[in-house]
Amino acid sequence: MNTKKVWFITGASKGLGLILTKKLLLQGYNVASTSRNKQSLIKNIGVENKNFLPIEMDVTASENVKQAILTTISHFGRIDVLVNNAGYSQIGTLEELSETEVEDNFKVNVFGALNVIRNTSPYLRNQKSGHIFNITSIGGYTGNFAGFGIYCSTKFAIAGFTEALAEDMKSFNVYTTLVYPGYFRTNFLSEGSVKTPNNPIEDYKSAREMEQVHLKDIDGNQPNDPEKGAEVLIALSQLEHPPVHFFMGEDAYHHAKLKLETIENALKAHITLGTSTGF
């Protein structure tokens, strides 16, 4: 009888989700992987079997997500590890992005993750065990990248509700880990995974420069190995007491430390005025 943990992974047809799925299967785990296109899962991973369940799922449709969870429970009997990995990067300044572009990014990155959590939590809560990984970004901790305000705000939102989720689920022996990856050499900055503004405003020169740096210079030259990133996630799932916050990559550590220094300096510089509001 296979007693390995059951993983449920969103956004598994490419990038980190795909690599993680493959590694887990090689190590004997049971994996339900989801994508908007089931055939891409079958093509890149394989057909359904006792250890692998490919599911076509739209994270933005709660009923569709609910059915995918039910299908997984029916196939494997339980879910032990949830990885909220689905998402995409929307480039653009706050002025130039339309209401639709902004809402679409939030629907996938934020509300999509919430749909999965909402429909998985009853099973984790009732079985009194489990581990939820919410994959955010170093852009969910520091947002000072011109032209990436909306994308970063989606990741900040995930960070915010994950901190609360960790407290919500603590009494049920369900762990929650917020993962802040740096730049990993996947197709995340390639066509289909990143969107540029429909109506760019050329006055935003710093945003255009940052956009081109990401699309032309950083893409394909990211410093982190996704194979190693997947191994790190598996190692985190095996810890007796996994962390709530986990920064992944030397570049993630670099940017996190810069943010901490910025906040610390701001606190010190304005402590008298900032603490002058008491009665």
Side-chain angles (χ1 to χ4, degrees):
M1 181 178 178
N2 188 345
T3 58
K4 284 279 192 176
K5 289 180 178 178
V6 177
W7 290 61
F8 185 92
I9 304 171
T10 70
S13 63
K14 54 188 174 182
L16 184 61
L18 173 61
I19 294 169
L20 177 60
T21 296
K22 289 182 175 180
K23 282 189 176 294
L24 288 167
L25 291 171
L26 284 173
Q27 293 181 28
Y29 288 94
N30 302 305
V31 186
S33 293
T34 78
S35 172
R36 289 172 296 176
N37 185 344
K38 182 177 178 178
Q39 289 305 310
S40 65
L41 294 169
I42 294 172
K43 177 183 177 181
N44 292 315
I45 304 168
V47 297
E48 178 180 327
N49 56 61
K50 66 177 183 178
N51 300 111
F52 175 58
L53 180 64
I55 303 175
E56 188 162 305
M57 187 185 82
D58 178 1
V59 294
T60 68
S62 185
E63 283 301 314
N64 186 228
V65 172
K66 182 179 181 179
Q67 186 57 53
I69 299 298
L70 288 171
T71 299
T72 302
I73 297 296
S74 176
H75 189 85
F76 291 121
R78 61 189 292 120
I79 293 174
D80 297 293
V81 185
L82 163 62
V83 182
N84 272 310
N85 175 66
Y88 71 92
S89 178
Q90 174 66 68
I91 300 176
T93 66
L94 302 190
E95 179 186 355
E96 63 194 353
L97 289 180
S98 67
E99 183 178 4
T100 299
E101 287 171 299
V102 173
E103 288 181 352
D104 285 349
N105 205 201
F106 270 83
K107 283 178 182 177
V108 174
N109 292 10
V110 180
F111 298 118
L114 287 171
N115 283 337
V116 179
I117 291 167
R118 187 182 305 110
N119 285 290
T120 310
S121 291
Y123 299 99
L124 302 180
R125 175 167 49 81
N126 289 331
Q127 71 192 25
K128 297 294 190 294
S129 66
H131 194 165
I132 300 170
F133 285 99
N134 288 334
I135 310 298
T136 177
S137 163
I138 188 56
Y141 188 74
T142 179
N144 59 333
F145 303 99
F148 282 82
I150 293 303
Y151 170 72
C152 287
S153 70
T154 68
K155 296 302 183 178
F156 267 75
I158 293 171
F161 73 62
T162 299
E163 288 189 350
L165 180 67
E167 295 300 315
D168 291 343
M169 303 300 283
K170 184 184 295 184
S171 62
F172 306 115
N173 197 37
V174 176
Y175 292 99
T176 305
T177 298
L178 177 62
V179 181
Y180 303 91
Y183 289 103
F184 277 77
R185 199 169 298 180
T186 66
N187 53 6
F188 188 69
L189 291 173
S190 304
E191 185 176 356
S193 296
V194 63
K195 294 184 179 181
T196 54
N198 292 330
N199 297 294
I201 300 172
E202 292 308 316
D203 284 350
Y204 287 106
K205 297 187 185 303
S206 60
R208 295 288 80 73
E209 289 170 359
M210 184 68 75
E211 175 182 311
Q212 291 307 305
V213 164
H214 279 78
L215 298 180
K216 293 183 178 180
D217 299 332
I218 296 177
D219 187 26
N221 296 300
Q222 296 95 326
N224 294 297
D225 182 353
E227 296 279 344
K228 293 180 179 178
E231 291 287 354
V232 166
L233 292 179
I234 296 172
L236 283 170
S237 76
Q238 297 169 346
L239 295 179
E240 185 176 357
H241 298 291
V244 174
H245 296 271
F246 185 80
F247 292 86
M248 192 160 67
E250 287 188 11
D251 53 340
Y253 268 72
H254 169 73
H255 286 293
K257 288 177 180 178
L258 290 178
K259 173 66 176 282
L260 289 169
E261 290 174 7
T262 298
I263 297 299
E264 186 64 30
N265 290 336
L267 288 169
K268 289 179 180 178
H270 303 288
I271 185 171
T272 302
L273 185 61
T275 58
S276 65
T277 57
F279 287 103

